Amino acid sequence: AGSFFYTRMLKAEEDLPDSPVARLKEGQSAYTMQVDLNRIGGGTMVGMRVDIYGTIIGKDGHPIAGPLISNVRVLSIRDHQGMEISDPDSSGLPYIAVVAVKDADVPILAAVEQAGELRFVSSSRSYSGQSEAVLMQDSSVVAWYQDN
């Protein structure tokens, strides 16, 4: 004899705690970063694509800023309590964002985040039909990473 379950016990895929990981494509990682309204860009929502910009201080003390990865898919945005900001019980204030990036690009994101700041920027380029999560090879921020 099997066990019974009730439909009220079932959850939609997007409500599962590990749902962001389930939406990754082959060769991708879920990169999690702490955010606020300023760094996430006012209207960023789950499912959108954004460009990630980085700002760091160079060896000469001057800021280096520029695009880092373009066309990045936003998998999750959670509040301070870990609830999706779209949840009616959420505070609605973003605290953690999870994005889908290529496995090979996780170290550069971590390094730039450690040395400075990451920021989401919504632009028409984010939907230009190019491949997802493309490292901007000609960026001054990428050059900084490669030199360090």
Side-chain angles (χ1 to χ4, degrees), residues 62-110:
H62 292 92
I64 300 171
L68 196 54
I69 303 177
S70 68
N71 203 21
V72 177
R73 189 165 35 107
V74 178
L75 299 175
S76 177
I77 303 173
R78 298 182 185 265
D79 67 12
H80 201 65
Q81 298 173 20
M83 301 177 82
E84 287 289 338
I85 61 167
S86 59
D87 188 301
D89 294 328
S90 167
S91 68
L93 296 173
Y95 182 69
I96 297 289
V98 181
V99 293
V101 299
K102 292 179 183 164
D103 295 337
D105 296 336
V106 170
I108 190 170
L109 282 170

Side-chain angles (χ1 to χ4, degrees), residues 9-30:
M9 296 173 67
L10 300 176
K11 293 191 179 274
E13 180 181 356
E14 61 272 5
D15 294 332
L16 296 173
D18 60 350
S19 70
V21 175
R23 293 192 300 267
L24 291 172
K25 297 177 181 176
E26 187 173 338
Q28 287 186 328
S29 294

Side-chain angles (χ1 to χ4, degrees), residues 56-59 64 111 115 140-148:
I56 48 96
I57 302 299
K59 292 177 184 174
I64 300 171
S140 57
V141 180
V142 173
W144 167 86
Y145 175 75
Q146 292 169 340
D147 291 342
N148 287 303

